[in-house]
Amino acid sequence: ALILGNKSDIDSEIYNSYTLSGLSHILVISGFHLGFIYGISIKIFSSLGCLYNTRRIYSLAVIWGYCMLVGFSISLTRACILITIAIVADLLWEENDFYTSLSLAALAILVQNPFALYSVSFQLSFGAMICIGIFMWIKEQLSEKYEINLNNISALLMSGAITLGIAPILSYHFSSVSWIGIFINIFIMIIFSGLIVLISSVILIELVNISIAKYLAPLIIAIINGCNMFVGEVASWSWGIIYSGNVTIFEGLLYYSVLTCIILGILYYQYRKPLWSYSIIVVLGCICVSFMPNKLEITQLYVGQGDASIVRTPSNEIILIDGGIRSSATKIQNHIWYMGCNEIGLAIVSHADLDHIGGILELIRNNHPIDTVVIPAVNIEDELLVELYDLCKPRNISIIKASQGESINFDGVTINVIAPEVNSTSTNKNESSLVFELVYEDFKMLYTGDIGMQTEASIDNYLSDIDILKVAHHGSMTSTNEYFLQTTKPEVAIISCGLNNWYGHPYGGTLATLDRAGTEVFRTDLSGMIKITVDKDDITITTHIP
């Protein structure tokens, strides 16, 4: 990955750690690598006695050859073009203008592929370069106008300037910005600069004597493993990451206008007061808006043949209800970040089937912050529940075993547990599912896990009119009979199931029963993600097909 750009063998957990820490650029062949290779090439050709212009032309051939070897990625092509323009300008005794060169590089890439403009790599690569150019200009202005010398902390300030500059782009695509990466980046870049030299050396030595290379390789592996452990630890520091949510284009433009006013206010004294006043008003306005009460949001994710529901309370607290299969963890995590949150305050497991508990197990394994896990109070021996306990204990995650009649209040949302019965002796996991009403003000939604008609009949006296029903067992024939619907009277039903699943869910008879009851049905296999927004008496349902 570091030398040839092949990331296929990198563990997803390691890759996510670098991304969360704001260090994903380390794992991408970029201008950093190219500049390093160009510098080494110059030194090699210089030591061989090549003339000044000759060694630069030879070095240029080396970097273009390297670019061809590893593939013409956007960041690498941009760096190659910039270095080429700088060398040609120098050979012609012409001045090299940074922004003109950057514009020519962008033009060359977009002529070949106009859609590159919408790619993350194009936006981050050119965004970072623009930030570097602006930083160098500000540094020059401060030096000339106020005789401020920033050379001692230039690297740190440049790292901060890049992060500030591309923050809206990071928020838009990844829903988070790592401010701790500003400081970690400098330290890591020094280590990886040495690693690139070591790895390149081992590859060259291997061509001559593989035995010597074998002695050097373990040192490289030890350094990389140490870096991976360190970056993984940094990624677990949730306080070092701002989970901004998905920033809109308008919010991005507003951010850049405030940032521009602050910069100009610092540089130009005569405009400082009005510019600062505008910036302060906008920032205070955004803060006030952020403290306004939000709405309750319930998102039924499409996780294939499984269940996963994310509830965001009006105060931006997260409740996760089931987690789909293990691979669903990434989708759940990304959606929580998309909403501008990270910690899961309450994770509710309806029962220990893999398509319900799998994603939660994987989230805990990946050290995603979870405060409390709620499971049904049943005495069923299950290896997945044992795994849950084993994962929660060392991470100090509380486990609550809930049964009929109990209530859990969480940030204005009440979980009224209807099943399983107290001291239940049932050995059927589906029939022992956690059944509960999610109540917010006058809104009620009933979650039923995978219960069948037997449990539906046994809890009839505990049921009441509801607004939305989360249909049991993915809409199978084993549940949701007419009597149950007459008792609950749901206006809307949500069915979570996989597209063309081999179980045949949802069952045609169940759909017909819901239709006769006058219940509007939304299905994840047809509608994708289903989002329910509750604002006082207003309930809005939207869908998003991925």
Side-chain angles (χ1 to χ4, degrees), residues 350-351 376 419-420 428-435 448-451 455:
S350 66
H351 63 296
N428 186 309
K429 282 199 292 186
N430 286 350
E431 296 292 358
S432 302
S433 293
L434 198 65
V435 180
T448 53
D450 276 357
I451 63 169
T455 303

Side-chain angles (χ1 to χ4, degrees), residues 222-234:
I223 295 172
I224 290 176
N225 286 339
C227 288
N228 291 343
M229 290 176 62
F230 174 71
V231 173
E233 181 63 27
V234 171

Side-chain angles (χ1 to χ4, degrees), residues 100-323:
T100 301
S101 301
L102 196 62
S103 300
L104 287 172
L107 182 63
I109 292 170
L110 292 175
V111 165
Q112 191 271 332
N113 178 16
F115 294 102
L117 179 65
Y118 301 98
S119 71
V120 181
S121 57
F122 182 92
Q123 294 169 17
L124 291 178
S125 178
F126 282 89
M129 293 305 297
I130 291 170
C131 293
I132 291 172
I134 292 173
F135 170 77
M136 298 306 293
W137 174 73
I138 293 172
K139 181 182 174 183
E140 182 182 344
Q141 292 292 312
L142 290 175
S143 177
E144 291 179 0
K145 289 178 178 291
Y146 307 108
E147 297 183 354
I148 299 175
N149 188 349
L150 301 175
N151 290 333
N152 293 332
I153 55 172
S154 181
L156 179 62
L157 291 176
M158 183 181 291
S159 179
I162 293 172
T163 301
L164 277 175
I166 64 174
I169 302 174
L170 292 170
S171 297
Y172 182 82
H173 291 290
F174 306 110
S175 305
S176 63
V177 179
S178 172
W179 67 264
I180 195 69
I182 295 172
F183 305 94
I184 304 299
N185 189 58
I186 300 169
F187 168 70
I188 283 291
M189 289 290 274
I190 294 171
I191 294 177
F192 276 84
S193 297
L195 276 174
I196 290 173
V197 175
L198 281 172
I199 294 169
S200 302
S201 300
V202 168
I203 291 173
L204 293 174
I205 292 170
E206 183 185 13
L207 299 175
V208 180
N209 190 323
I210 195 169
S211 298
I212 299 175
K214 284 181 178 179
Y215 284 109
L216 292 175
L219 173 62
I220 295 173
I221 294 170
I223 295 172
I224 290 176
N225 286 339
C227 288
N228 291 343
M229 290 176 62
F230 174 71
V231 173
E233 181 63 27
V234 171
S236 67
W237 300 343
S238 57
W239 51 268
I241 302 167
I242 300 171
Y243 297 93
S244 55
N246 187 247
V247 173
T248 64
I249 294 176
F250 171 75
E251 290 169 335
L253 292 174
L254 189 64
Y255 173 88
Y256 284 124
S257 68
V258 171
L259 198 60
T260 301
C261 288
I262 291 174
I263 292 171
L264 294 177
I266 292 172
L267 293 178
Y268 301 105
Y269 177 79
Q270 61 267 37
Y271 300 118
R272 184 178 294 179
K273 187 173 181 180
L275 288 170
W276 274 109
S277 300
Y278 163 75
S279 301
I280 291 171
I281 289 171
V282 172
V283 171
L284 288 176
C286 292
I287 292 173
C288 290
V289 169
S290 67
F291 280 103
M292 291 176 64
N294 294 318
K295 306 165 185 177
L296 180 76
E297 289 183 2
I298 302 172
T299 304
Q300 188 69 38
L301 292 180
Y302 176 71
V303 290
Q305 187 62 20
D307 253 309
S309 184
I310 299 173
V311 181
R312 178 168 68 172
T313 72
S315 302
N316 282 332
E317 297 291 336
I318 296 295
I319 302 172
L320 173 63
I321 303 169
D322 285 332

Side-chain angles (χ1 to χ4, degrees), residues 340-477:
C341 305
N342 183 41
E343 183 174 349
I344 298 171
L346 209 61
I348 300 175
V349 178
S350 66
H351 63 296
D353 274 351
L354 191 60
D355 60 333
H356 290 254
I357 195 175
I360 293 177
L361 292 173
E362 204 63 24
L363 285 169
I364 298 172
R365 188 185 306 280
N366 293 336
N367 295 315
H368 190 100
I370 297 177
D371 185 58
T372 303
V373 174
V374 181
I375 62 174
V378 291
N379 294 317
I380 299 177
E381 293 185 7
D382 187 278
E383 60 181 17
L384 292 177
L385 284 179
V386 172
E387 183 180 351
L388 178 68
Y389 275 100
D390 290 342
L391 288 170
C392 288
K393 187 174 180 180
R395 293 168 176 82
N396 295 319
I397 299 174
S398 303
I399 296 181
I400 296 175
K401 300 180 72 172
S403 58
Q404 192 176 78
E406 297 180 10
S407 291
I408 300 171
N409 296 308
F410 182 82
D411 196 38
V413 175
T414 303
I415 307 295
N416 291 325
V417 181
I418 298 174
E421 297 178 347
V422 178
N423 299 322
S424 172
T425 57
S426 174
T427 57
N428 186 309
K429 282 199 292 186
N430 286 350
E431 296 292 358
S432 302
S433 293
L434 198 65
V435 180
F436 60 90
E437 286 181 339
L438 186 146
V439 182
Y440 172 69
E441 295 182 347
D442 295 330
F443 171 80
K444 283 185 181 181
M445 182 168 177
L446 181 64
Y447 283 86
T448 53
D450 276 357
I451 63 169
M453 295 180 188
Q454 176 185 342
T455 303
E456 285 179 353
S458 69
I459 61 175
D460 183 71
N461 293 332
Y462 298 90
L463 299 173
S464 59
D465 289 4
I466 58 173
D467 296 290
I468 298 177
L469 168 67
K470 171 60 188 57
V471 176
H473 208 172
H474 319 287
S476 74
M477 67 173 69

